[in-house]
Amino acid sequence: MNDADAVDLLEELVRTRSPSGAERAAAELLVRRMDALGFEARVDEVGNAVGSVGDPGAPELVLLGHVDTVPGEVPVRREGGRLSGRGTVDAKGPLVAFVAAASRAARAGRLAARVTVIGCVEEEVASSRGAHHAARRPAPAACI
């Protein structure tokens, strides 16, 4: 995934409304794109987007973020090399950065871990359903 593809994915993800409790379309988009990049990707039982790449026998690094946003509308704009819109920084941007970095490392043969990217649901509300579900996974070697 090159920089232009990463920015295109980010814009598509930001354009996909995903307020807490209504994240399914964003999770499915992220899963489709991870799958196309060679990840083993799926939407889990609670709606999280989960994708893994690298050696299944290697230590696991989890890169965890969230796909939901707070309610409200912020127009999506691309101007002067900048993208703005609801969720661009918190936290769709970091999720796309995670996917891009893991994809690049895997394709370059420089991945000495099993990298799992998780885009949790309901992080912006008190339930944090996606994070609580992800916390029940076997402990990875590290989580960011």
Side-chain angles (χ1 to χ4, degrees), residues 40-137:
E40 295 171 19
R42 65 187 173 83
V43 174
D44 74 12
E45 302 78 15
V46 299
N48 294 332
V50 180
S52 298
V53 65
D55 179 359
E60 184 182 36
L61 168 62
V62 171
L63 302 174
L64 185 111
H66 62 95
V67 295
D68 65 319
T69 63
V70 296
E73 297 296 324
V74 175
V76 178
R77 291 190 312 263
R78 232 176 167 170
E79 297 172 348
R82 293 178 188 253
L83 176 67
S84 61
R86 175 75 65 205
T88 303
V89 175
D90 182 15
K92 294 176 179 183
L95 275 174
V96 172
F98 292 160
V99 170
S103 172
R104 289 176 186 183
R107 289 195 179 192
R110 297 184 316 213
L111 197 54
R114 176 74 165 173
V115 176
T116 299
V117 176
I118 304 175
C120 290
V121 296
E122 294 185 18
E123 189 276 340
E124 295 289 0
V125 293
S127 66
S128 294
R129 186 172 69 151
H132 287 293
H133 183 74
R136 290 192 290 269
R137 296 169 42 91

